[in-house]
Amino acid sequence: MNSTIVRRKHATPPVPASPFPYNPGSLLSVMDLSLEGVSRLLARATELDQMDPLVRNRILAKRKVALLFYESSTRTRTSFELAAKALGADTALISSLSSSIEKGETLKDTGLTLRSLGAEAIILRHNASGAAWLLERETRLPVLNAGDGMHEHPTQGLLDLRTILAHLRPGIATVDAETLKGVTVAIVGDILHSRVARSNLLLLPRLGAQVVLCGPKELLPDLAAEAGPGVTVERDFETALGQSQVAMMLRIQAERLAGMQIDLGGYTASYQLTSARLAKFAPKAVVLHPGPIIRGLELTAEVADGPQSAILEQVKNGVAIRMAVVERALTAAEQGGRA
Ligand code: ASP
């Protein structure tokens, strides 16, 4: 008897469309934004920045925004707060050290409590990667990710982009897949623990930039070479600098090292941005740093304060970008949820 073995082919189940973000006003990842969405935010940031403050503060008058911070922050927290207030919104700051979080309240319960108190959007910084997703899922409010663990920091990515464009593509109003063609951005230091690196390497190549990741193996595993299109790894700092128009220096994230020992002497010898290195290998490069800077470690004071440094411009751009992002959070649903 002829027996034929019929192998039943299992149809590959369709990949379910990501339910995130649930709320069209949320910004959990730079990947939530199309390039048109990025262009809209950049253009709106400029409009809001240049607007008469008395007109601007009617845009979100009396709307309620909560800032929920489980990690310390200077730039991100202050600029989000100033941004929301500049649009007329009322803000409430909840930080883990002075709230019921200290008593053991979960993120979910804190989020639901804030929603009951009338919060219409929550800006969240949390030490756990994915926390912003969870908060959005539980509250369905617009959630703005102000840094979640080692995962992402989307508004930092956007403000870095605004800074890069101002220096290398002045006057550009909209971005597309070619806008940063020919631009190489070196991201240097503790890539492993950096949410800033993650947001930048997901965003910049979509605009045509090359991203070169640079750092020692402990802080930049070999696997990073597979981070995605437009991203490469170069261990030698001077080679990376030599090919870059932007040098984004990162702090070693001491709070996330979890027992890892770093030889700081060896690290600074190989990876510190000094005036001599800058002059020799990248005399025209724009120097960026998300802050806080540790003078004498990842860069010298001379470089931080020097003419190539755009670090304080980044801080200023943070307010403009966050005004646009907070406005989007509270108006996206009314405008049909455009990304
Ligand atoms: N401020 C940035 C962040 O929150 C970078 C840093 O802390 O080193 O991720």
Side-chain angles (χ1 to χ4, degrees):
M1 194 174 101
N2 259 350
S3 68
T4 341
I5 299 170
V6 180
R7 282 188 203 283
R8 199 179 271 232
K9 274 204 181 144
H10 291 283
T12 322
V15 180
S18 166
F20 295 107
Y22 288 108
N23 193 300
S26 289
L27 184 59
L28 306 177
S29 157
V30 287
M31 298 308 281
D32 296 344
L33 297 168
S34 61
L35 288 188
E36 294 76 39
V38 173
S39 290
R40 272 197 295 275
L41 281 174
L42 291 169
R44 190 60 180 156
T46 301
E47 267 170 32
L48 290 168
D49 196 33
Q50 292 168 356
M51 201 177 275
D52 176 345
L54 295 176
V55 175
R56 196 171 55 194
N57 75 9
R58 291 203 291 265
I59 296 175
L60 296 180
K62 295 292 140 206
R63 307 286 301 264
K64 293 187 180 62
V65 175
L67 294 112
L68 179 52
F69 276 66
Y70 287 73
E71 272 188 357
S72 51
S73 168
T74 301
R75 280 150 290 274
T76 305
R77 201 197 76 194
T78 312
S79 59
F80 259 122
E81 191 169 351
L82 291 175
K85 287 201 157 108
L87 301 175
D90 289 339
T91 60
L93 171 67
I94 305 92
S95 82
S96 53
L97 286 183
S98 55
S99 64
S100 289
I101 297 166
E102 249 189 336
K103 302 178 188 169
E105 188 169 67
T106 64
L107 176 60
K108 170 179 171 170
D109 290 320
T110 303
L112 294 176
T113 301
L114 292 175
R115 193 181 68 186
S116 286
L117 287 168
E120 296 169 79
I122 302 179
I123 298 161
L124 176 71
R125 166 160 293 187
H126 202 284
N127 52 332
S129 306
W133 270 256
L134 185 134
L135 183 66
E136 205 219 18
R137 191 188 70 196
E138 299 304 328
T139 64
R140 302 294 164 116
L141 287 176
V143 171
L144 302 179
N145 182 0
D148 62 329
M150 302 194 282
H151 179 238
E152 269 216 59
H153 196 345
T155 54
Q156 180 73 42
L158 291 169
L159 74 89
D160 290 341
L161 174 60
R162 189 173 201 252
T163 312
I164 292 170
L165 291 173
H167 282 262
L168 301 180
R169 298 287 184 267
I172 285 258
T174 55
V175 294
D176 60 31
E178 309 258 290
T179 302
L180 291 180
K181 222 169 167 199
V183 172
T184 300
V185 179
I187 307 184
V188 186
D190 185 358
I191 313 289
L192 179 62
H193 302 108
S194 174
R195 52 201 177 203
V196 174
R198 215 89 59 224
S199 287
N200 272 290
L201 71 83
L202 286 171
L203 179 62
L204 297 174
R206 291 169 67 205
L207 281 76
Q210 280 292 321
V211 170
V212 178
L213 303 176
C214 182
K217 282 211 176 193
E218 312 91 281
L219 301 176
L220 173 61
D222 282 331
L223 212 62
E226 291 154 34
V231 182
T232 55
V233 167
E234 171 54 65
R235 302 252 170 232
D236 183 68
F237 183 29
E238 292 172 357
T239 307
L241 263 187
Q243 62 201 51
S244 302
Q245 290 73 46
V246 178
M248 185 182 293
M249 305 306 297
L250 300 176
R251 171 180 75 93
I252 296 180
Q253 306 251 315
E255 69 276 31
R256 298 187 220 286
L257 290 184
M260 184 191 283
Q261 298 295 325
I262 307 288
D263 162 20
L264 291 183
Y267 181 81
T268 49
S270 302
Y271 294 103
Q272 184 181 69
L273 188 58
T274 61
S275 299
R277 273 193 171 126
L278 205 51
K280 186 159 177 204
F281 297 100
K284 293 208 178 106
V286 185
V287 175
L288 302 183
H289 193 307
I293 58 173
I294 310 296
R295 289 169 184 254
L297 215 158
E298 66 273 11
L299 79 181
T300 60
E302 234 185 326
V303 170
D305 301 331
Q308 287 174 250
S309 167
I311 298 172
L312 294 176
E313 283 171 49
Q314 287 173 275
V315 176
K316 199 164 178 296
N317 283 331
V319 181
I321 286 292
R322 288 173 179 132
M323 281 194 286
V325 167
V326 170
E327 180 189 40
R328 174 181 174 275
L330 292 180
T331 57
E334 295 146 31
Q335 291 178 5
R338 293 177 314 161

